[in-house]
Amino acid sequence: SGQSDSMDVQTGPQIEDDRTGFSIETLRRAIADNLYYIQGKFPEIATQYDYYMALAYTVRDRILHRWINTVKTYREQDVKVVCYLSAEYLPGPHLGNNLVNLGIYPQVEQAVRASGLDLNALLAEEEEPGLGNGGLGRLAACYMDSLATLEIPAIGYGIRYEYGIFDQEIRDGWQVEITDKWLRLGNPWEIPRPENAVDVKFGGYTESYTDDQGHYRVRWVPHQVVKGVPYDTPISGYRVNTTNTLRLWKAEAPESFDFQAFNLGDYYGAVDTKITSENLTKVLYPNDEPIQGKQLRLEQQYFFVSCSLQNLLKIHLLREDPLETFADKFAIQLNDTHPAIGIAELMRLLVDEYLINWEIAWDITQEAFAFTNHTLLPEALETWSLELFGRLLPRHLEIIYEINQRFLDQVRLKYLGNTDKLAQLSLLDERRGKRIRMAHLACVGSHAINGVAALHTELLKTGVLRDFYELWPEKFSNKTNGVTPRRWMVLINPRLTQLISRNIGESWIKQLDDLRQLAPLANDPSFCHEWRQVKRAVKQDLADYIQTTQGLTINPDSIYDVQAKRFHEYKRQHLNVLHIVTLYNRIKHNPEIEMTPRTFIFGGKAAPGYRMAKLIIKLITAVGDAVNQDPDVCDRIKIVFMPDFNVTNSQRIYPAADLSEQISTAGKEASGTGNMKFSMNGALTIGTLDGANIEIREAVGAENFYLFGLTAQEVADLKASSYNPRAYYDSNAALREALDLISSGYFSHGDGSLFQPLVEGLLHHDPYLVLADYQSYIDCQDSVGQAFQDQETWTRTAILNVARIGKFSSDRAIREYCQDIWHVDPVHIKLEEYVQAKA
Ligand code: NBG
């Protein structure tokens, strides 16, 4: 049986149920049944996708059993539940992950083989839900995994976008965006719950009235109502029965709301309403920064937050708990400011709909909410114009005014006569055409505020949120990000997982600190040898994949030097390119030069409207076209751009990397999480003192980390002292030569203008200090190249990186949130047998 650890089914003499059994024969039969009864196909005409669906339903049945028991237990035991509010989730493909968590990978592999099929081929059929842009959405997914694994009652709330993040194709070296129709072939992992639909209001006006008891009340008369329908996806924990819920809301037209009166005799008008309503959750905004002034975006945010809070209140009242205890039963986490409108919405629901008085409602709200900030970039701090906001959410605008007035009264008392403080702290930015500051709303309405890495939290306290820190230092804490080792090691790197587990057992999968037991093995030659064989095999896999998908041959013995993340100037993919061009120039000057062969691998999407990011992609592919074909290079440099970086594709990349590029301008990357995934899989990091890099370096040891570049303080100082990038160009011959080669049109068929915006931008502005860090980066890369020659030392260093990476498990992060912010405890789920449950 696949159950172990705390997955205790009460066993006894029992015939395996077709929908819960784990034996190979039962699984094989279940797949065949589902092919027939769910897909409506027989083997002669079934496609691989049909078999994938049949298998997915087979696995879902086994999860359902656990899911139902989990929901039942939470209801019966009246437990405190974590509610994670996030506009984005990037869970990645579910099937493989569920096999790992259920502990039935080997059985399923055999059952699939017994059906004449190949499990890897079926896994490849799954279309991942790309419901996020990058780190923030993926973090939410890692946290959902850890919550379930730690047996913490939790619901993730979000939006069921019909089109997720676009698929990226590269044509003529440029990024092209293709719509992501991920639901086209159905989604076996979700269950719609139309019976739990809720109504969400938009627009209109407010009016006051006096209720029966003579109280002053406000009523919101909306212009439009949209129905939110929840779609639930089970989130299984690793080797536990706990299966939590990811509840994503889809917008539909309501059946009621004057639909008939409105559209009497107007059939087309009625259909129109349906279309406009459904537009709301049609598409994810593909930007990693807020979109200024897009009404639909604000509608999306309010829509999913209102649905979720209404749902929570319903659950609470169903349990017959008084509203005053709401915050004892729910901890609501705001994943960045996108759901911050929830603070005003909970106030509205409590005050207007449930008639609670303001002070009590405010206590409940502050106690329930906590806020995580994910960025330091000032342009990423979300604000909404009063005009737009008031038009869409007239009642919330009033509530925000009220919150602000009461808040500023407090501030006034503390800072007598200091009008600057009032202006700085206010929820309203009076300068730039009157805007609502969502981060301020989140801070005022939450009892806890956190950053996502130590440096980031410090910079919040001294930078963007400094006034709030001065006011309420006790609200602030740091929660360094983490990632789940189930997906990011066990699932994607079975070879490494087996090597580790054979030597130190399996406990590390749930207690990542146990990887420490690997440290002594770094001095064991035969272990090191096996480690190298594993790495070599994984690198060969990636080489094969690149060969088949792109027809490009890469050398598995070269350094796989990888930068995979969203394209943004602060992440400095162009600094990486300057290194490549510098190496290329060295070869052109001296074709005989000794050089450790490198394969530069890039992956990542650029926001469709971010011209500079897209130009950097073009530069990479252009340099690749020239260098990969140049006979002088003799395979010492290869450049690969892997299109469509998403969870699925990333899973091939992390395990194969030797070198992880984490080269953002210090003080700009809040944390980074890719940095953790690379290290866990035995890559060494070349990085700046930014985000979680700092803590990774502390954990693995400075001697096992390639550090370069300015510190956050030095960056700030240099920018304050009128930074002159041109001076670096003038004084550094190699840098000048690299930039000149790009400007000359060498990589653009003689067109000297193509990359001018990039080169000119660097020479005259260089806001992210690429030129200032250039030499330090080149020197550091030279020592990487040297070090790779000594494979024994390199391997030892890689092993030590993995042995010391335990802190960066999302389990550790979630434990900290549970203790310091949410005050929730694990709830053990026991399985009732289905046969009994039915009776
Ligand atoms: C991103 C940061 C990353 C961080 C993730 C997860 C946003 C707004 N922020 O550095 O850029 O790792 O959040 O915290 O997407």
Side-chain angles (χ1 to χ4, degrees):
S1 139
Q3 299 132 21
S4 63
D5 300 39
S6 46
M7 293 181 95
D8 39 13
V9 190
Q10 280 103 51
T11 44
Q14 154 196 14
I15 300 166
E16 273 203 341
D17 188 298
D18 256 20
R19 295 195 140 168
T20 56
F22 281 109
S23 78
I24 295 164
E25 180 48 24
T26 307
L27 289 164
R28 191 200 58 75
R29 217 173 40 235
I31 296 168
D33 273 1
N34 285 336
L35 182 71
Y36 197 90
Y37 286 111
I38 305 266
Q39 285 304 92
K41 290 276 185 90
F42 52 97
E44 286 74 11
I45 60 159
T47 62
Q48 288 285 300
Y49 190 78
D50 289 325
Y51 277 108
Y52 156 72
M53 290 291 269
L55 174 57
Y57 279 104
T58 302
V59 174
R60 194 183 93 173
D61 282 341
R62 276 126 192 100
I63 291 174
L64 260 173
H65 187 37
R66 287 164 173 73
W67 198 8
I68 289 168
N69 277 275
T70 304
V71 173
K72 227 173 145 225
T73 309
Y74 292 170
R75 270 185 90 121
E76 286 164 6
Q77 298 190 11
D78 197 21
V79 299
K80 184 167 184 183
V81 180
V82 175
C83 312
Y84 203 78
L85 294 190
S86 180
E88 302 191 3
Y89 289 92
L90 277 173
H94 293 290
L95 177 56
N97 191 243
N98 283 325
L99 295 182
V100 166
N101 284 356
L102 287 170
I104 58 170
Y105 211 109
Q107 292 94 309
V108 165
E109 204 163 31
Q110 288 187 54
V112 167
R113 202 175 313 127
S115 316
L117 301 157
D118 169 43
L119 179 55
N120 283 328
L122 299 191
L123 287 167
E125 291 291 317
E126 182 169 352
E127 183 109 38
E128 71 168 82
L131 311 183
N133 276 285
L136 175 136
R138 180 55 228 178
L139 186 77
C142 282
Y143 283 180
M144 289 305 294
D145 178 276
S146 284
L147 283 161
T149 297
L150 295 173
E151 304 182 285
I152 303 293
I155 313 178
Y157 283 111
I159 301 174
R160 183 177 174 278
Y161 301 105
E162 191 176 331
Y163 299 106
I165 185 71
F166 62 85
D167 293 335
Q168 179 195 56
E169 281 183 14
I170 301 296
R171 292 191 199 148
D172 188 28
W174 294 95
Q175 165 176 298
V176 176
E177 300 94 19
I178 315 285
T179 50
D180 164 48
K181 301 183 180 142
W182 71 289
L183 292 165
R184 192 182 47 212
L185 300 175
N187 174 7
W189 302 104
E190 67 184 9
I191 299 187
R193 307 277 189 201
E195 71 278 15
N196 292 327
V198 294
D199 282 344
V200 179
K201 306 183 218 181
F202 290 99
Y205 56 92
T206 65
E207 59 190 21
S208 55
Y209 67 100
T210 317
D211 70 9
D212 303 343
Q213 280 97 49
H215 290 119
Y216 172 88
R217 302 276 176 211
V218 178
R219 184 162 39 221
W220 174 15
V221 185
H223 167 71
Q224 196 200 352
V225 170
V226 175
K227 185 169 73 172
V229 181
Y231 284 67
D232 290 352
T233 300
I235 304 295
S236 58
Y238 179 77
R239 308 292 158 92
V240 290
N241 294 319
T242 299
T243 303
N244 285 328
T245 300
L246 176 62
R247 174 162 277 194
L248 303 179
W249 299 94
K250 173 182 194 286
E252 289 186 5
E255 287 114 35
S256 55
F257 189 65
D258 281 356
F259 201 60
Q260 246 132 37
F262 247 173
N263 302 296
L264 211 55
D266 183 8
Y267 178 74
Y268 293 100
V271 175
D272 229 38
T273 311
K274 182 170 153 59
I275 293 170
T276 355
S277 303
E278 294 188 350
N279 273 343
L280 221 149
T281 51
K282 189 68 73 185
V283 61
L284 165 81
Y285 282 99
N287 293 38
D288 35 11
E289 282 167 22
I291 316 89
Q292 292 299 328
K294 279 272 184 287
Q295 177 169 334
L296 184 60
R297 171 70 177 185
L298 184 57
E299 288 173 357
Q300 289 184 338
Q301 295 181 351
Y302 176 62
F303 166 76
F304 99 88
V305 165
S306 177
C307 288
S308 309
L309 293 177
Q310 290 186 56
N311 188 231
L312 289 182
L313 285 167
K314 223 184 261 177
I315 296 173
H316 189 70
L317 295 172
L318 263 178
R319 296 202 286 201
E320 294 179 14
D321 286 335
L323 277 174
E324 285 70 17
T325 65
F326 181 81
D328 303 334
K329 296 300 153 73
F330 296 105
I332 308 176
Q333 192 66 31
L334 299 172
N335 197 26
D336 216 331
T337 54
H338 318 141
I341 185 63
I343 285 161
E345 171 67 355
L346 185 59
M347 285 302 288
R348 185 190 69 82
L349 289 166
L350 293 174
V351 172
D352 292 359
E353 312 253 336
Y354 291 97
L355 312 180
I356 302 268
N357 88 40
W358 181 281
E359 286 76 15
I360 295 174
W362 185 243
D363 285 347
I364 294 172
T365 300
Q366 273 193 321
E367 223 182 298
F369 278 97
F371 165 51
T372 306
N373 169 289
H374 292 268
T375 188
L376 289 159
L377 302 182
E379 66 270 29
L381 290 175
E382 197 176 24
T383 63
W384 291 101
S385 82
L386 284 193
E387 189 278 319
L388 191 163
F389 194 97
R391 188 154 34 82
L392 197 67
L393 302 170
R395 179 55 182 146
H396 296 79
L397 184 57
E398 294 172 359
I399 289 173
I400 285 173
Y401 280 143
E402 178 80 32
I403 293 173
N404 199 35
Q405 203 167 67
R406 290 167 184 253
F407 167 57
L408 292 182
D409 284 346
Q410 239 180 294
V411 175
R412 229 171 258 116
L413 287 180
K414 174 149 177 152
Y415 302 101
L416 276 177
N418 186 343
T419 49
D420 284 353
K421 270 283 179 236
L422 289 175
Q424 283 158 16
L425 281 162
S426 174
L427 306 195
L428 306 178
D429 187 342
E430 306 278 350
R431 289 163 308 168
R432 273 158 302 193
K434 293 220 172 189
R435 305 183 69 84
I436 302 180
R437 298 158 157 162
M438 300 309 276
H440 290 214
L441 176 61
C443 286
V444 173
S446 299
H447 68 278
I449 303 165
N450 73 283
V452 291
L455 173 70
H456 171 230
T457 301
E458 285 315 305
L459 293 173
L460 284 179
K461 290 192 217 168
T462 54
V464 278
L465 301 181
R466 105 179 67 83
D467 297 314
F468 288 97
Y469 179 62
E470 196 179 296
L471 201 56
W472 300 310
E474 69 285 355
K475 280 195 190 185
F476 283 74
S477 75
N478 175 241
K479 298 286 170 282
T480 298
N481 285 165
V483 302
T484 170
R486 271 74 63 182
R487 180 174 294 271
W488 298 114
M489 295 182 76
V490 179
L491 177 65
I492 71 172
N493 205 340
R495 287 191 182 88
L496 187 67
T497 297
Q498 279 156 29
L499 174 62
I500 295 172
S501 294
R502 238 189 299 122
N503 283 273
I504 65 168
E506 287 193 348
S507 67
W508 60 274
I509 299 170
K510 277 187 126 164
Q511 299 285 341
L512 202 63
D513 283 326
D514 286 354
L515 286 174
R516 291 218 167 276
Q517 295 161 32
L518 288 175
L521 293 166
N523 299 317
D524 174 341
S526 84
F527 181 79
C528 292
H529 178 70
E530 285 187 84
W531 186 280
R532 253 193 314 280
Q533 282 182 322
V534 164
K535 192 59 158 192
R536 170 67 213 224
V538 172
K539 289 173 73 177
Q540 183 67 55
D541 286 349
L542 185 62
D544 293 345
Y545 179 77
I546 289 169
Q547 180 70 251
T548 28
T549 52
Q550 305 203 30
L552 201 69
T553 309
I554 65 171
N555 170 11
D557 292 316
S558 64
I559 307 178
Y560 283 13
D561 178 334
V562 187
Q563 189 167 18
K565 51 181 80 239
R566 281 299 282 254
F567 272 82
H568 199 292
E569 286 164 281
Y570 84 77
K571 296 178 189 279
R572 301 199 294 192
Q573 281 92 351
H574 43 346
L575 177 58
N576 190 334
V577 177
L578 286 178
H579 172 234
I580 300 173
V581 176
T582 302
L583 293 182
Y584 180 64
N585 278 331
R586 286 185 194 164
I587 292 175
K588 293 309 263 186
H589 288 305
N590 176 6
E592 306 301 317
I593 194 169
E594 284 272 342
M595 198 179 275
T596 317
R598 288 206 201 216
T599 305
F600 293 93
I601 299 171
F602 290 89
K605 296 173 184 175
Y610 190 170
R611 292 183 54 193
M612 192 60 86
K614 290 178 132 177
L615 190 57
I616 295 174
I617 291 178
K618 174 66 178 173
L619 177 64
I620 291 166
T621 56
V623 173
D625 286 344
V627 172
N628 292 348
Q629 287 168 34
D630 190 326
D632 286 350
V633 172
C634 278
D635 292 345
R636 279 168 290 185
I637 306 174
K638 269 274 157 66
I639 300 162
V640 184
F641 191 96
M642 300 205 39
D644 203 29
F645 184 68
N646 56 18
V647 176
T648 306
N649 292 326
S650 79
Q651 294 182 177
R652 309 173 192 284
I653 296 178
Y654 295 118
D658 293 305
L659 188 66
S660 156
E661 297 272 355
Q662 306 301 334
I663 61 178
S664 54
T665 314
K668 298 293 178 210
E669 188 72 88
S671 163
T673 42
N675 45 6
M676 302 166 189
K677 295 164 197 167
F678 279 111
S679 287
M680 279 180 189
N681 286 280
L684 309 193
T685 305
I686 182 164
T688 49
L689 287 176
D690 198 17
N693 296 354
I694 298 176
E695 291 156 81
I696 292 175
R697 179 167 170 268
E698 267 164 24
V700 305
E703 68 285 9
N704 300 312
F705 185 106
Y706 287 93
L707 177 71
F708 76 96
L710 300 169
T711 63
Q713 187 59 56
E714 289 165 346
V715 167
D717 292 347
L718 186 54
K719 291 196 104 175
S721 70
S722 67
Y723 169 55
N724 176 17
R726 179 89 202 189
Y728 293 85
Y729 171 89
D730 288 335
S731 63
N732 188 322
L735 170 61
R736 192 164 58 243
E737 212 186 338
L739 285 169
D740 286 351
L741 194 63
I742 294 169
S743 302
S744 72
Y746 186 87
F747 300 113
S748 38
H749 309 287
D751 175 3
S753 67
L754 183 61
F755 298 118
Q756 269 328 290
L758 216 159
V759 175
E760 291 296 313
L762 287 177
L763 288 177
H764 302 299
H765 309 288
D766 192 14
Y768 298 105
L769 306 190
V770 172
L771 301 200
D773 272 346
Y774 168 83
Q775 193 56 51
S776 167
Y777 181 57
I778 298 294
D779 294 342
C780 193
Q781 282 286 24
D782 284 342
S783 56
V784 168
Q786 277 295 319
F788 196 75
Q789 304 273 347
D790 176 359
Q791 275 295 294
E792 268 153 39
T793 309
W794 185 276
T795 302
R796 205 186 108 77
T797 311
I799 295 170
L800 287 177
N801 263 262
V802 175
R804 298 170 180 175
I805 206 68
K807 169 175 170 186
F808 302 96
S809 167
S810 44
D811 298 344
R812 186 269 314 148
I814 285 299
R815 281 198 189 93
E816 291 178 4
Y817 279 99
C818 287
Q819 268 171 35
D820 305 344
I821 298 180
W822 300 331
H823 310 292
V824 291
D825 298 308
V827 174
H828 188 63
I829 306 297
K830 286 194 171 164
L831 286 192
E832 284 174 33
E833 278 200 39
Y834 175 50
V835 200
Q836 292 170 3
K838 252 194 307 197

